Amino acid sequence: MAETLTYDLISILRVLYRKRRMIVLGTIAAAVIAAIAALLWPQTWRAETIAIVSPPKYKETLSLVSNPFDVLTYQSIMLSDGQLDEVQRTLRWGSEAVRTLITPPELDRLKANPNIQDKALRLTPYQLIQNTNTTLLTELLIPEDDSDNPEYDIYIYSLSQLGADDLEALGGLDADELQDLTIFDLRKMLFASVSIVKETNLETIYSPVIRVSAEYDTGERARMLTNLWMLLFQYRSERTVRSIVMRQIDMFRERAVSKEKDLGTIETDWKNAQQEADLETLYADAASKWILLKGVAPVYKRVKQSKEEFDLEESDRPFMTEESQEWDSIQFNITAEYEKALLPQSQELKAEISFLKKQIERGASDELSMQLATAQDRLAALQSEIKSTSSALDKTLSQIRTYETKLRLQHIQLERARTAIEVLEPYLGEANLLEQNKDGRYSDISYNPAIKPDKRVFPKRTMMTACGLLVGLLLSCGWAFLQDIWAEVVRPESETQA
């Protein structure tokens, strides 16, 4: 029966001691290999900064400036394909542009710039680029045919905003590597996260801070990539918010123009209606008919009554208040033509006819009968004239009421149109103020430029060497025991054959 191979502590220590040379050499070899691999492995450096979502103070008082986006929305914009594609294109164009600017004759033109000519000799080529205005950069880098192309605005902006160290790192990038750089590679190099904390048992976005970092093969390039990414993101945010503000400005101005046009139309209709109605003539005509008919003239007055009161029970009204009421009042005054008016004459004739009838009843008289007939004829003529005059007066009053109603409705429309324009005036004032603020900041993003990292994130040479040492020790020990087991298995077979 074959014996089972077992190890106790003494046998384990005996094997390790017997194979000590091989174990030590194997461990050292693994550690050396790990150290060499750590030295040869491509390095990765990470530069970090934070983006703060904080709206400018003037946004609290202006209505045309939209509310800031949510931090998660900004994070999505930062990591969107459009933003990463913009970073990729700017890296390629910017690297070639920097290499172009540091070579003659472009470098000589930078030194001849009158704005920095006095200190040009003390500046490095990259510092010259940093201190050059966008107008000269556009002349040197953009073809004349494409000078109006808005696509180059972001390139010139990023080149003018980067520091000298970042420009040097950008110009040192390999053109072939940049051509092979894809959006998927940038996704592995760029990171953005929002701080999340726990309030009670719920996870809530607490701080409007986006932590941003970028990785590259050197610390200078990692810092450059971080700053360039943030520059492009801030520029994109600024363009987005500014376009929203400009659309609102255009919308309110178009609305104001439309309201003013409507007001002009309503005012024209109002004036035409007033001329068509000619109420003053109708009022005079109605007044003359009224006086002709009744012999009195109506007088309209606006009565106003005010009363002061003081209420001790209401604490929010500690002072004496005044209440006023207004209403229309009408009075009738007797005119000088009262006796010649139709109705008073008819009343007198009726009284005269009644008196003549009583006289005739007492004693007939041809003279009284003739007077009665004459009075009755005059009364019939007056009644006919009263009827026609009353009909004409009613018609005139009806026309006045119709025109007054029409004018009142048009006046309401006119007041509404004026009110609509008055409502838009504050927005138009904001529009003028915002347009004067051409160089101001509309976006909600601010950040501090990243600094050069002092430690690489990969490879960790000490850790890799330690891991190699541990792995070498484990493999060497395992190989030692494997050799011992093999010797124990092979030796009994050879002894049996012998």
Side-chain angles (χ1 to χ4, degrees):
M1 181 177 178
E3 296 182 359
T4 302
L5 184 61
T6 59
Y7 286 95
D8 54 12
L9 181 59
I10 300 300
S11 58
I12 290 174
L13 293 176
R14 186 179 293 112
V15 171
L16 294 176
Y17 180 76
R18 190 167 56 246
K19 301 292 185 179
R20 63 186 181 279
R21 183 180 179 86
M22 184 197 67
I23 293 174
V24 171
L25 293 176
T27 302
I28 294 174
V32 170
I33 293 173
I36 294 173
L39 291 172
L40 299 178
W41 203 285
Q43 299 182 16
T44 301
W45 296 74
R46 179 184 297 164
E48 299 179 346
T49 186
I50 57 174
I52 302 175
V53 182
S54 57
K57 292 183 179 179
Y58 62 81
K59 283 194 174 184
E60 299 176 359
T61 57
L62 297 182
S63 303
L64 293 183
V65 181
S66 60
N67 294 326
F69 293 141
D70 185 78
V71 285
L72 292 180
T73 303
Y74 278 121
Q75 181 191 15
S76 301
I77 294 175
M78 292 180 69
L79 298 175
S80 64
D81 290 342
Q83 184 68 64
L84 297 182
D85 179 67
E86 202 168 58
V87 173
Q88 178 193 43
R89 289 185 286 106
T90 306
L91 281 173
R92 293 172 180 173
W93 185 90
S95 179
E96 182 180 355
V98 171
R99 288 194 295 269
T100 301
L101 292 173
I102 61 175
T103 57
E106 283 76 9
L107 184 59
D108 296 334
R109 292 190 61 182
L110 292 180
K111 292 180 180 180
N113 185 2
N115 296 328
I116 57 176
Q117 191 172 12
D118 297 337
K119 55 181 180 179
L121 297 177
R122 301 191 303 271
L123 299 179
T124 65
Y126 303 103
Q127 290 175 335
L128 287 173
I129 299 175
Q130 181 184 359
N131 289 276
T132 302
N133 55 39
T134 56
T135 303
L136 182 55
L137 290 177
T138 303
E139 293 178 1
L140 294 175
L141 298 173
I142 308 301
E144 294 183 1
D145 297 339
D146 294 336
S147 58
D148 296 332
N149 190 348
E151 183 180 355
Y152 289 101
D153 293 343
I154 180 61
Y155 298 152
I156 297 297
Y157 172 79
S158 60
L159 203 64
S160 63
Q161 296 297 319
L162 287 175
D165 295 334
D166 291 335
L167 290 172
E168 184 176 1
L170 180 61
L173 296 178
D174 184 76
D176 295 333
E177 292 182 1
L178 289 178
Q179 290 299 325
D180 296 336
L181 185 67
T182 63
I183 294 178
F184 302 101
D185 297 328
L186 287 175
R187 287 192 180 278
K188 300 176 183 177
M189 299 164 63
L190 304 176
F191 307 92
S193 62
V194 176
S195 300
I196 299 178
V197 297
K198 280 191 175 182
E199 294 181 356
T200 63
N201 60 339
L202 300 176
E203 289 190 351
T204 309
I205 300 172
Y206 179 73
S207 178
V209 172
I210 305 175
R211 301 188 179 277
V212 180
S213 62
E215 295 181 354
Y216 224 116
D217 55 358
T218 64
E220 292 83 359
R221 293 179 178 179
R223 177 193 58 202
M224 177 273 300
L225 183 58
T226 304
N227 291 333
L228 180 63
W229 185 26
M230 291 306 301
L231 272 175
L232 297 177
F233 169 62
Q234 188 182 46
Y235 185 84
R236 188 185 186 95
S237 303
E238 180 69 25
R239 283 186 303 175
T240 302
V241 178
R242 186 177 290 270
S243 63
I244 294 174
V245 172
M246 291 300 118
R247 283 200 300 270
Q248 289 184 331
I249 290 175
D250 294 338
M251 179 187 69
F252 277 101
R253 283 189 171 164
E254 290 176 359
R255 188 179 300 176
V257 171
S258 176
K259 294 297 181 182
E260 288 178 354
K261 184 178 179 181
D262 294 341
L263 177 61
T265 303
I266 294 174
E267 285 180 341
T268 302
D269 294 341
W270 163 258
K271 292 178 181 178
N272 293 336
Q274 284 182 322
Q275 293 177 357
E276 178 186 356
D278 195 11
L279 287 177
E280 296 296 333
T281 302
L282 291 177
Y283 288 151
D285 186 24
S288 63
K289 286 184 174 64
W290 187 278
I291 293 173
L292 175 63
L293 186 64
K294 298 184 178 182
V296 296
V299 179
Y300 293 94
K301 291 184 179 180
R302 187 71 175 173
V303 181
K304 180 178 181 182
Q305 181 180 6
S306 61
K307 181 179 65 173
E308 294 183 348
E309 62 177 6
F310 184 76
D311 194 347
L312 294 175
E313 296 181 357
E314 297 188 15
S315 59
D316 58 341
R317 297 174 59 187
F319 303 105
M320 187 169 293
T321 58
E322 181 180 357
E323 292 186 358
S324 60
Q325 295 180 350
E326 293 184 3
W327 64 89
D328 293 329
S329 175
I330 184 172
Q331 297 178 352
F332 295 92
N333 296 334
I334 297 177
T335 64
E337 293 80 10
Y338 179 79
E339 295 181 355
K340 299 178 182 179
L342 298 179
L343 288 177
Q345 289 184 30
S346 66
Q347 294 297 330
E348 291 180 358
L349 284 174
K350 287 180 180 179
E352 183 179 354
I353 291 171
S354 177
F355 176 76
L356 290 174
K357 286 181 179 180
K358 290 180 179 180
Q359 293 294 329
I360 293 172
E361 289 176 358
R362 293 176 183 177
S365 172
D366 296 337
E367 184 179 356
L368 291 177
S369 299
M370 292 178 61
Q371 291 180 358
L372 177 62
T374 303
Q376 288 177 342
D377 292 339
R378 288 175 58 195
L379 179 61
L382 281 174
Q383 288 179 343
S384 176
E385 189 175 358
I386 288 172
K387 183 177 180 180
S388 62
T389 304
S390 299
S391 177
L393 178 61
D394 292 339
K395 183 178 180 181
T396 302
L397 293 177
S398 177
Q399 289 179 348
I400 290 174
R401 285 192 292 269
T402 301
Y403 283 125
E404 283 181 342
T405 302
K406 181 180 179 181
L407 290 175
R408 191 178 295 112
L409 293 176
Q410 289 186 338
H411 187 266
I412 292 174
Q413 294 180 355
L414 181 62
E415 291 299 323
R416 287 179 178 176
R418 289 173 178 171
T419 303
I421 293 179
E422 290 176 357
V423 170
L424 292 176
E425 286 180 356
Y427 297 100
L428 297 178
E430 287 186 15
N432 296 330
L433 180 63
L434 290 172
E435 283 189 338
Q436 293 175 2
N437 186 31
K438 294 181 179 179
D439 299 329
R441 183 172 68 90
Y442 289 90
S443 67
D444 314 306
I445 295 297
S446 60
Y447 72 97
N448 294 321
I451 61 174
K452 178 183 175 182
D454 55 354
K455 292 182 180 180
R456 59 183 173 274
V457 294
F458 190 83
K460 302 290 186 181
R461 293 174 180 173
T462 304
M463 184 180 295
M464 289 186 65
T465 303
C467 290
L469 189 67
L470 180 60
V471 170
L473 177 62
L474 294 177
L475 291 178
S476 299
C477 292
W479 181 249
F481 280 100
L482 184 61
Q483 285 183 337
D484 185 72
I485 293 172
W486 181 259
E488 292 294 332
V489 172
V490 173
R491 184 174 56 188
E493 292 181 356
S494 61
E495 291 178 355
T496 303
Q497 291 177 357

